[in-house]
Amino acid sequence: MKKIAIKGIEYHVPDKTLNNDELVAGHDDWTSEKIFSKTGIAERRLAAEDETAGDLAEKATLKLFESGVCKAEDIQFILLCTESPDYFLPCTATLLQDRLNIPKTAGALDFNLGCSGFVYGLSLAKGLIESGQVDNVLLITSDTYSKFIESDDIGVRAIFGDAAAATFLEAEDTDQELIGPFVFGSNGAGYDKIIVEAGGARHPNPDEQFQRKLLMNGPEVFSFTISTVPRTVKKLLSDANLTLDDVDKFIYHQANTYMLEHLRKKSKIDEDKFCVDMEDIGNTVSATIPIALKRALDRNEIKSGDRVMLVGFGVGLSWAGTLCTIP
Amino acid sequence: MNEKDFYLKIDEALGADPGTVTGQEKLDDTDTFDSIAMMEILVFLDEDFEIEMTPEKIIEHGTVQALFQKLFP
């Protein structure tokens, strides 16, 4: 039987850095120590003025090709998760087809999700591959939230960094389920908890009331997360007929250390099984999970045959979880 | 939890000296109340008492004393 498997992950972060000392300069009400103690982030990467999510996606994918895991001519479908597309239209995934010399026979589409996007992308890719429509999918998650954040909004700037991750997913002949089951959730009543209000059709032109900047209600998002994520984990384990002990590693969306530590304790997950890895790049939205997974693989914290739980949550409000066995 | 210990926890969340909070304060009128303080209150309620509350509900109760009385009648 054809089953989807993760065959390779690469990522790219922009060159420009912003550390905590630089972030708080000129803002006496903040200290770099306070930012680090509450976020676990020491430095984040920011896209240059003329650098887009499409550019970061291209570089991450070129690294994937250079790694030898796949070639441009192999790719049959491009899924790009981004909330900062290069253009209002067309979708950035079709531009990437051309820029990356991927065959014109490949399908390509963008989908608009943030921190839950990687898990949703795995689900979409699983559908495409296991239904026999394609043999492989290039799943890219790329965002440049920094372009939406006001320079004096220290609280929000402290959290987010820009990055892209490219994941190659391919059919494998096996009876073993390598990715799944999935648990999904959405709550549109919380649409305004993380939002850029102007620029879309509802408020096309920024004005004093509706601006083209990222607004985040941190406590409301925190409250949503601590009530939703543990239930998602519980349901996922129940659906898979597993317990916490059956999972070798837990990789949640790397929101910030404070939130992750509380989520870990609440679900009673051992510290050594729980991934926290964002200190040098910040919360990179839809790219956090594949980046953390790639780094954990590189550090040999995850080995072949390990079962990893992936949980994404955030803007939407949207959340999703899945289990993934490393081939 | 007794009222005094609850106020000490609120002091901690607000980054205030122990004994600062008397119960009559409205959280959102307090100088050191910010989004981080609210998150610390959410964590304290959830970790210590398994009480899940939205920030809106916490503020809605008015004073710190009213919040305590609602949570620990």
Side-chain angles (χ1 to χ4, degrees), chain A residues 209-247:
Chain A
Q209 191 182 358
F210 301 108
Q211 296 176 25
R212 196 177 174 282
K213 67 176 185 184
L214 183 72
L215 303 173
M216 183 170 74
N217 185 329
E220 290 285 356
V221 173
F222 190 85
S223 170
F224 143 73
T225 304
I226 61 177
S227 72
T228 306
V229 172
R231 289 186 179 96
T232 302
V233 171
K234 210 174 265 185
K235 179 158 187 351
L236 187 54
L237 289 172
S238 160
D239 289 356
N241 202 19
L242 298 171
T243 68
L244 286 174
D245 291 341
D246 297 314
V247 179

Side-chain angles (χ1 to χ4, degrees), chain A residues 30 34 38 218-220 222-223 226-227 231 258 262 265-266, chain B residues 34-36 38-40 42-43 46-47 52-56:
Chain A
W30 290 88
K34 182 179 178 184
K38 297 300 173 193
E220 290 285 356
F222 190 85
S223 170
I226 61 177
S227 72
R231 289 186 179 96
Y258 188 71
H262 182 63
K265 282 186 191 164
K266 193 166 178 178
Chain B
D34 58 12
S35 60
I36 292 173
M38 175 58 92
M39 286 190 266
E40 296 208 358
L42 292 170
V43 166
D46 191 35
E47 274 187 359
E52 285 179 9
M53 222 174 182
T54 64
E56 201 181 354

